[in-house]
């Protein structure tokens, strides 16, 4: 097995790394401090083809492979996990299911909107009483002639109050549990679509998160995604892909924290020498390095599996679990390395530590990942 990126993948890494260093990193602290959606950055990412990069060329995308998509999220998240999150949600959770399950008419209509027309995408599954257990969802969709009527609400929706296109899951037959869930493509301008509470979060302050409300929301019949009653399978398959994006985001956070701590340790002098010269510091950096290398291999393996295998649930869950816990451990160790300086917002480590925590929660908690992994390896 050859562990080598293709020329195209290397070019993606180079382009996104340079963009991150020049456009993302300089405003990351201010984005976090003000909780402002980085609109110009996202518009530039559309212009460079990163937003919607996995969309086939015939629908306006770059036609990039899944590994290139993961690399882009990794590079962005080294400096700003919020930006990485916005891109991961748009690409994996909105464009992804349309590519995989949309009709030709749906692809021709919505994928160019999510690429050339620079419309932002989102994914609506979680509800107040339906987090890990999607069968508890109460949002309903009732067929009425040539349209469905949606009623209910979704919470913790990434890109919620800036998005234009939403993948929404609703009960078309509540008596059937998960077999009664259907998926829909919903536009923000549909009658009865409302944006609710804007969430104030511990981290990812630049990633817009909100409640989405449906009050007799009119959705055309042709916007049913896939087959009625098959939405749960679409949601779970989409989350498999999304977990690779979160693994890449968490990996990027870990790499960013590692670099910040190393740069600090090389210039911080105590007891007459840089703290990087002390063996206990060196052991910490050795452990960080090993974790990051392992996380990168797991993430890239999962991305390749998505492109080459019919099912990649195990690889995605493994990468997401390992990298999310890696991000939290690495950010904590990096902050400790910088002492009191790391605890202030003069340095990015306190932000990275706050941002890292969510990677163990969204798109399936670490506990859920362990359930998925054990279920796959034992059965």
């Amino acid at each position: 097995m050859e562990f080598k990126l293709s020329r195209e993948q290397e070019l993606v890494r180079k382009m996104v790394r340079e963009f991150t260093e020049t456009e993302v990193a300089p405003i990351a602290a201010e984005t976090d401090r003000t909780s402002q959606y980085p609109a110009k950055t996202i518009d530039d990412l559309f212009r460079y083809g990163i937003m919607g990069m996995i969309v086939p060329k015939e629908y306006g995308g770059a036609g990039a492979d899944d590994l290139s998509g993961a690399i882009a999220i990794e590079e962005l998240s080294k400096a700003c996990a919020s930006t990485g999150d916005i891109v991961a949600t748009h690409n994996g959770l909105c464009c992804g299911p349309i590519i995989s399950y949309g009709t030709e008419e749906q692809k021709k209509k919505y994928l160019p909107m999510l690429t050339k027309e620079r419309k932002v995408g989102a994914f609506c599954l979680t509800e107040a009483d339906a987090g890990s257990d999607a069968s508890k969802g109460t949002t309903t969709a009732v067929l009425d002639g040539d349209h469905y009527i949606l009623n209910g609400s979704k919470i913790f929706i990434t890109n919620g109050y800036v998005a234009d296109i939403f993948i929404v899951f609703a009960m078309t037959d509540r008596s059937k549990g998960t077999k009664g869930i259907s998926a829909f493509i919903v536009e923000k301008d549909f009658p009865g679509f409302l944006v609710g509470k804007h969430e104030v979060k511990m981290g990812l302050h630049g990633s817009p998160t909100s409640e989405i409300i449906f009050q007799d929301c009119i959705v055309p019949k042709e916007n049913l995604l896939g087959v009625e009653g098959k939405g749960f399978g679409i949601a779970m398959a989409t989350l498999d892909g999304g977990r690779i994006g979160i693994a890449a985001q968490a990996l990027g956070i870990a790499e960013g924290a590692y670099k910040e701590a190393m740069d600090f340790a090389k210039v911080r002098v105590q007891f007459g020498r840089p703290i990087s010269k002390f063996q206990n510091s060196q052991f910490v950096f050795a452990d960080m390095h090993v974790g990051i290398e392992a996380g990168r291999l797991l993430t890239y393996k999962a991305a390749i599996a998505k492109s080459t295998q019919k099912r990649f649930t195990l690889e995605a869950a493994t990468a997401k679990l390992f990298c999310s816990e890696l991000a939290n451990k690495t950010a904590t160790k990096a902050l400790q390395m910088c002492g009191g300086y790391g605890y202030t917002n003069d340095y990015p480590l306190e932000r990275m530590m706050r941002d890292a925590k969510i990677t163990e929660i969204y798109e399936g908690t670490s506990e859920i990942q362990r359930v998925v992994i054990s279920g796959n390896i034992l059965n």
Side-chain angles (χ1 to χ4, degrees):
M1 183 178 293
E2 186 177 10
F3 296 97
K4 186 178 180 181
L5 299 179
S6 69
R7 180 177 178 274
E8 291 75 15
Q9 290 159 350
E10 289 286 8
L11 287 173
V12 167
R13 183 187 294 285
K14 183 176 185 293
M15 178 184 70
V16 181
R17 180 174 291 174
E18 290 176 353
F19 178 83
T20 300
E21 291 172 351
T22 59
E23 304 295 333
V24 179
I27 65 168
E30 184 70 6
T31 297
D32 176 75
R33 187 185 68 79
T34 61
S35 297
Q36 289 296 308
Y37 171 67
K40 182 182 182 303
T41 299
I42 299 305
D43 196 55
D44 287 340
L45 287 170
F46 269 114
R47 184 158 53 89
Y48 290 131
I50 303 303
M51 292 286 278
M53 67 185 297
I54 63 169
V55 174
K57 292 181 180 179
E58 59 265 33
Y59 303 113
D65 63 2
D66 294 295
L67 179 51
S68 295
I71 289 169
I73 295 166
E74 175 192 0
E75 291 297 328
L76 290 166
S77 299
K78 288 180 183 180
C80 181
S82 290
T83 304
D85 187 39
I86 294 164
V87 175
T89 299
H90 178 87
N91 288 352
L93 299 186
C94 187
C95 296
I98 297 175
I99 294 168
S100 298
Y101 300 98
T103 63
E104 187 61 25
E105 291 75 18
Q106 288 170 341
K107 292 177 185 179
K108 286 180 177 178
K109 178 178 180 179
Y110 285 107
L111 293 177
M113 292 171 67
L114 292 161
T115 52
K116 293 178 180 179
E117 296 179 34
R118 305 186 183 185
K119 304 292 187 183
V120 175
F123 178 88
C124 297
L125 177 64
T126 301
E127 298 185 15
D129 293 320
S132 298
D133 185 0
S135 68
K136 300 299 182 183
T138 59
T139 297
T140 59
V142 178
L143 183 61
D144 183 13
D146 62 354
H147 61 268
Y148 285 87
I149 301 175
L150 270 62
N151 279 286
S153 63
K154 302 290 182 176
I155 62 170
F156 306 148
I157 304 306
T158 301
N159 296 345
Y161 57 86
V162 301
D164 306 279
I165 309 297
F166 298 76
I167 305 300
V168 179
F169 297 87
M171 289 286 186
T172 43
D173 188 342
R174 294 187 65 180
S175 69
K176 294 182 179 179
T178 56
K179 293 182 179 180
I181 298 174
S182 300
F184 301 88
I185 305 171
V186 179
E187 299 180 37
K188 71 173 183 180
D189 294 327
F190 284 174
F193 179 95
L194 302 169
V195 175
K197 176 187 175 185
H198 292 202
E199 298 294 345
V200 178
K201 310 186 298 293
M202 172 182 170
L204 293 187
H205 290 169
S207 174
T209 307
S210 71
E211 177 187 25
I212 299 296
I213 301 169
F214 308 98
Q215 292 183 352
D216 292 331
C217 181
I218 305 300
V219 178
K221 184 178 179 180
E222 59 267 25
N223 278 42
L224 174 70
L225 184 63
V227 179
E228 188 173 296
K230 299 294 185 180
F232 182 74
I234 293 174
M236 294 303 103
T238 301
L239 287 175
D240 281 346
R243 285 165 183 165
I244 299 171
I246 301 308
Q249 179 195 29
L251 174 63
I253 294 171
E255 291 175 297
Y258 171 70
K259 182 181 184 302
E260 289 292 335
M262 185 171 289
D263 289 346
F264 181 90
K266 288 178 178 179
V267 299
R268 176 63 170 169
V269 176
Q270 292 288 277
F271 305 105
R273 54 179 172 162
I275 61 174
S276 62
K277 298 295 184 181
F278 291 96
Q279 190 178 64
N280 62 334
S281 298
Q282 294 167 353
F283 284 3
V284 170
F285 284 121
D287 288 343
M288 288 181 182
H289 171 78
V290 171
I292 288 168
E293 288 295 306
R296 187 180 296 114
L297 289 173
L298 285 171
T299 301
Y300 289 12
K301 178 185 177 183
I304 292 169
K306 184 175 185 293
S307 296
T308 58
Q309 298 176 193
K310 288 185 177 180
R311 194 164 184 266
F312 52 92
T313 299
L314 178 60
E315 291 86 351
T318 302
K320 201 267 190 185
L321 174 64
F322 184 88
C323 288
S324 62
E325 296 190 348
L326 170 72
N328 279 274
K329 292 174 186 176
T330 304
T332 300
K333 289 178 180 178
L335 190 151
Q336 184 72 19
M337 181 70 68
C338 297
Y341 291 102
Y343 198 68
T344 70
N345 62 12
D346 292 332
Y347 286 75
L349 287 167
E350 61 87 25
R351 165 168 51 88
M352 292 175 173
M353 189 172 176
R354 286 186 285 107
D355 289 346
K357 186 57 194 174
I358 190 60
T359 65
E360 290 186 298
I361 299 172
Y362 62 5
E363 295 194 36
T365 64
S366 292
E367 291 77 13
I368 288 294
Q369 301 315 306
R370 287 182 165 87
V371 170
V372 171
I373 293 167
S374 61
N376 275 268
I377 62 178
L378 293 175
N379 296 326

